[in-house]
Amino acid sequence: MNGLSTFISNIWTITKRELGGYFTSPVAYVFIVMFLLLTGLFTFMIGSILERGEASLFWFFYWHPWLYLILVPAIGMGVWAEERRLGTIELLLTMPITTWQAIVGKFIAAWIFLGAALFLTFPVVLTVNYLGNPDNGVILCAYIGSFLLGGSYLAISTMTSAMTRNQVVSLIISVVICLFLILAGFPPITDLIQNYVPQIIVDIVASFSVIPHFDGFKRGILDLRDIIFFLSIIVFGLFATSLIIRNLRAGH
Amino acid sequence: MADFNAEKPMIQVKNLAKSFGPKRAVDGVSFNVEIGEVLGFLGPNGAGKSTTMRMITGFIPPTEGTVVVGGFDILNNPIQVKKIIGYLPENAPAYADMSVHSFLDFVAELRGLRGEEKKKAVSRVIEMCFLESVVNQSIDTLSKGFRHRTCFAQSIIHDPPVLVLDEPTDGLDPNQKHEVRTLIKRMGEKKAIIFSTHILEEVESACTRAIIIDRGKIVANGTPNELKRMSELAGTVILKVRNIPAEEVVQKVKELSCVKRASIISTDGGPACLRVYPQQNITNGELARAVGELAIQQQWRVEELHTDEGRLDEVFRNITLPDTTQEVSR
Ligand SMILES: Nc1ncnc2c1ncn2[C@@H]1O[C@H](COP(=O)(O)OP(=O)(O)OP(=O)(O)O)[C@@H](O)[C@H]1O
Ligand SMILES: [Mg+2]
């Protein structure tokens, strides 16, 4: 096998194993049910789509950054922590694969799982199409944004997962980081701090936030800069994971 | 397997050292292992055996020193090295959520095996490690011994020329211990094997060479017989005689020129049992012969007469407990 095909097949082997792990564990199904219940709750109760009679999923996606805040770290928390707790990390990293392949393979599996959960919200799309005439292009765009958003949270969660062998600790750290990524650009908060610090600082901090970058997707605007923003969070998270694992092995 | 340079040792470890903060877990370890050798790794808890193995297999980077396996340096060519090593980590970790079969399948795939080849490899190790009865069982419900065997099976799935096994017989029942030892010995004819253990008989029955490591340093290196000869008791003669008072036997034996001293091991009503210590520079067997001749001449009723080859556990204790009053053979 040449370099690239080995690279891909190694990643795929890892991804397959991880996916098998997700879909054989009852926790995963609990997760999916929770995810669907909560999206339904936020959309129909709090977002009250039905009462508004709007044929759009704006309120459905509006809550995604918050919904993911707990749910995505819950998927990611075990990715490396479990590997460390069981000691299988020693097995995995002495196989003829690179650490990077293991990191990417695991991340992709978790992301596919998240994507599957997201896909299962399609009844919402059917509902609005039944109610009226929504712009399905906008909806698709928002789904893409939501998937990227979840991916960035996930990269951060896998990073914190490598920091510890305790899943709960990993969960808490990643929730805190993701919360920062939301709040830094969440209008009620930015409006509040605007009164105390110069606008430029508010803008800089807000530029790190996922909220303004997700906004465009929600409105159906596919902006390359927003895509790059989310992809760079993912790359950063995975890269940080590799550094953490390297340190871990060196035993510092 | 044939394409490795036959002149060079398969595993070359040079001045290997690992520090964890201020602690030197491994401190300048050097040794070679060739194809056809089974190297036993001995040492007290915390001596640095697992740490050394983790560096050889590329799990942790060394602080100092080099590891070259099959001609590849672990730091420059980690993937090449990992390809030719099979590794059983300490405590036999395995993915709890997988079945034995899917776990082995997964490892085989990571080892680059596909299709028919993979199937064959998996069923071969299932048979070799007696896993038929649990192939479809989930790993987290396996007993400790079966989990160990599963992880052992994983290490030999690609029939590697180099095996690194950290306590391969830990948690196995006596029959399985025997099986695994025989397997290691048999595989050792065509592979370079390092395995660590706390069971000293294992070293005698399966190893061609043993290294004792203590506080990160190698304190003894030789064949099991060479190590045993380092024992104080090696070369002494055990003599059991009936119907004669032990003191009298001691008296007579001491008169022999090749005897340094003799001590009574037990009398309590039964035969007199004593241990005879040779003078220095006595060739092997000479002492026993002399004592035997004396017995014939004195017409003792001898029940037992043999040369003690020394005991590994005694050597082990002497070497790794330098603080006691016992002689230290460093
Ligand atoms: N990651 C680590 N961080 C700090 N210290 C470590 C680490 N790994 C090992 N050590 C220390 O290094 C020393 C050697 O440990 P090692 O596991 O190699 O011993 P061992 O010879 O395998 O012992 P045992 O017979 O108990 O398995 C121990 O004192 C251990 O506490
Ligand atoms: Mg150990």
Side-chain angles (χ1 to χ4, degrees):
Chain A
M1 277 192 279
N2 67 40
L4 184 66
S5 77
T6 315
F7 184 80
I8 291 173
S9 83
N10 283 344
I11 289 179
W12 178 235
T13 304
I14 306 267
T15 303
K16 256 192 319 190
R17 195 213 81 78
E18 294 282 313
L19 278 177
Y22 286 123
F23 288 105
T24 51
S25 110
V27 182
Y29 292 100
V30 171
F31 169 84
I32 290 187
V33 169
M34 284 277 292
F35 182 77
L36 297 179
L37 281 179
L38 287 175
T39 45
L41 183 78
F42 277 118
T43 312
F44 294 107
M45 310 295 287
I46 303 170
S48 50
I49 281 195
L50 298 176
E51 282 159 42
R52 285 164 204 262
E54 279 174 33
S56 105
L57 284 182
F58 186 83
W59 292 102
F60 168 73
F61 289 112
Y62 182 84
W63 293 106
H64 277 197
W66 293 96
L67 203 61
Y68 287 158
L69 183 59
I70 304 289
L71 291 178
V72 173
I75 305 180
M77 67 183 179
V79 169
W80 288 101
E82 200 52 12
E83 201 81 44
R84 289 183 61 181
R85 193 179 63 80
L86 290 173
T88 43
I89 187 170
E90 191 166 347
L91 209 59
L92 187 65
L93 298 183
T94 50
M95 290 290 154
I97 59 167
T98 62
T99 312
W100 189 242
Q101 287 162 0
I103 291 172
V104 173
K106 278 169 163 285
F107 173 76
I108 290 177
W111 209 12
I112 290 177
F113 178 71
L114 182 68
L118 195 58
F119 176 77
L120 289 178
T121 60
F122 70 87
V124 183
V125 182
L126 298 183
T127 308
V128 288
N129 271 290
Y130 175 75
L131 289 177
N133 243 333
D135 185 338
N136 284 317
V138 173
I139 292 179
L140 179 67
C141 182
Y143 265 110
I144 293 172
S146 177
F147 187 55
L148 284 170
L149 172 74
S152 0
Y153 282 18
L154 203 52
I156 288 165
S157 313
T158 48
M159 173 187 84
T160 61
S161 177
M163 291 176 180
T164 162
R165 61 185 72 208
N166 184 329
Q167 299 200 25
V168 178
V169 174
S170 144
L171 179 83
I172 292 169
I173 303 173
S174 57
V175 168
V176 168
I177 298 176
C178 294
L179 188 63
F180 167 81
L181 288 180
I182 295 178
L183 291 182
F186 191 58
I189 302 286
T190 45
D191 292 349
L192 189 73
I193 53 175
Q194 232 160 21
N195 303 328
Y196 306 100
V197 293
Q199 182 65 34
I200 176 93
I201 295 192
V202 175
D203 286 346
I204 289 175
V205 173
S207 71
F208 283 102
S209 170
V210 293
I211 298 288
H213 295 281
F214 185 47
D215 246 8
F217 288 103
K218 271 190 309 196
R219 295 175 202 287
I221 306 160
L222 211 54
D223 188 332
L224 192 62
R225 279 169 303 178
D226 294 334
I227 296 176
I228 289 175
F229 171 79
F230 286 122
L231 290 182
S232 32
I233 293 189
I234 291 174
V235 171
F236 167 82
L238 299 187
F239 184 67
T241 308
S242 76
L243 291 185
I244 291 167
I245 290 175
R246 192 162 78 193
N247 256 312
L248 193 80
R249 290 163 78 177
H252 297 312
Chain B
M1 242 192 260
D3 50 337
F4 295 109
N5 192 338
E7 288 113 65
K8 282 217 183 115
M10 200 63 193
I11 308 174
Q12 293 170 278
V13 174
K14 260 199 224 108
N15 298 323
L16 201 61
K18 181 75 199 176
S19 303
F20 293 111
K23 188 183 165 69
R24 289 288 264 193
V26 175
D27 194 0
V29 165
S30 305
F31 61 86
N32 292 340
V33 189
E34 324 220 358
I35 295 273
E37 269 194 307
V38 179
L39 177 71
F41 233 50
L42 299 173
N45 292 132
K49 302 181 293 296
S50 299
T51 306
T52 306
M53 292 182 154
R54 287 187 180 125
M55 287 191 279
I56 295 172
T57 54
F59 180 58
I60 58 178
T63 309
E64 283 159 38
T66 54
V67 174
V68 177
V69 181
F72 302 108
D73 189 300
I74 185 71
L75 289 180
N76 303 330
N77 257 322
I79 301 293
Q80 289 303 328
V81 171
K82 288 170 185 180
K83 271 188 187 159
I84 54 179
I85 294 185
Y87 179 36
L88 169 66
E90 195 168 30
N91 302 323
Y95 290 99
D97 56 354
M98 300 179 100
S99 73
V100 171
H101 191 276
S102 51
F103 174 66
L104 294 175
D105 207 69
F106 167 65
V107 173
E109 221 165 279
L110 283 183
R111 291 295 184 181
L113 301 170
R114 291 290 182 281
E116 215 30 55
E117 217 186 348
K118 180 174 79 174
K119 255 195 206 151
K120 266 197 207 133
V122 171
S123 44
R124 182 178 58 92
V125 294
I126 285 175
E127 193 185 321
M128 275 172 102
C129 300
F130 308 97
L131 294 168
E132 289 96 345
S133 60
V134 296
V135 270
N136 291 316
Q137 202 172 324
S138 159
I139 288 179
D140 58 359
T141 63
L142 290 181
S143 69
K144 183 179 171 184
F146 272 101
R147 205 192 63 216
H148 231 91
R149 273 143 68 182
T150 305
C151 199
F152 180 65
Q154 161 280 131
S155 71
I156 55 175
I157 203 157
H158 54 308
D159 196 18
V162 177
L163 268 180
V164 178
L165 309 169
D166 204 344
E167 303 191 23
T169 55
D170 182 35
L172 301 187
D173 67 47
N175 296 338
Q176 284 301 325
K177 275 199 172 82
H178 178 76
E179 289 293 344
V180 167
R181 260 177 236 163
T182 320
L183 193 61
I184 290 177
K185 196 170 179 180
R186 206 180 68 219
M187 290 191 302
E189 288 164 13
K190 286 192 237 110
K191 300 181 195 296
I193 302 183
I194 304 181
F195 82 91
S196 73
T197 181
H198 290 296
I199 305 168
L200 298 167
E201 301 89 74
E202 215 148 73
V203 174
E204 289 180 59
S205 65
C207 294
T208 57
R209 199 151 58 88
I211 280 179
I212 301 180
I213 167 167
D214 185 25
R215 286 176 243 179
K217 289 197 166 80
I218 291 181
V219 289
N221 182 351
T223 65
N225 281 331
E226 279 168 2
L227 292 186
K228 278 197 290 188
R229 250 175 265 140
M230 291 166 70
S231 162
E232 289 182 325
L233 302 181
T236 62
V237 163
I238 305 288
L239 176 66
K240 245 187 212 173
V241 183
R242 197 172 273 287
N243 291 347
I244 309 268
E247 289 76 16
E248 199 174 310
V249 182
V250 170
Q251 209 65 68
K252 288 279 188 241
V253 165
K254 268 187 180 165
E255 285 166 15
L256 291 171
S257 64
C258 55
V259 170
K260 191 175 173 193
R261 65 194 177 88
S263 64
I264 299 166
I265 300 175
S266 70
T267 44
D268 46 86
C273 182
L274 40 101
R275 187 186 286 280
V276 186
Y277 292 80
Q279 292 284 9
Q280 238 86 65
N281 61 51
I282 290 291
T283 59
N284 222 354
E286 194 177 324
L287 182 64
R289 211 156 43 237
V291 173
E293 277 160 13
L294 177 70
I296 292 168
Q297 183 204 333
Q298 300 283 330
Q299 297 188 326
W300 288 338
R301 291 171 61 189
V302 175
E303 291 205 333
E304 188 181 333
L305 173 66
H306 76 266
T307 307
D308 194 336
E309 290 177 340
R311 299 214 332 254
L312 267 183
D313 62 344
E314 193 224 333
V315 176
F316 183 87
R317 247 197 321 276
N318 278 352
I319 293 181
T320 57
L321 282 179
D323 303 334
T324 61
T325 51
Q326 283 171 310
E327 194 180 315
V328 181
S329 11
R330 272 198 198 200

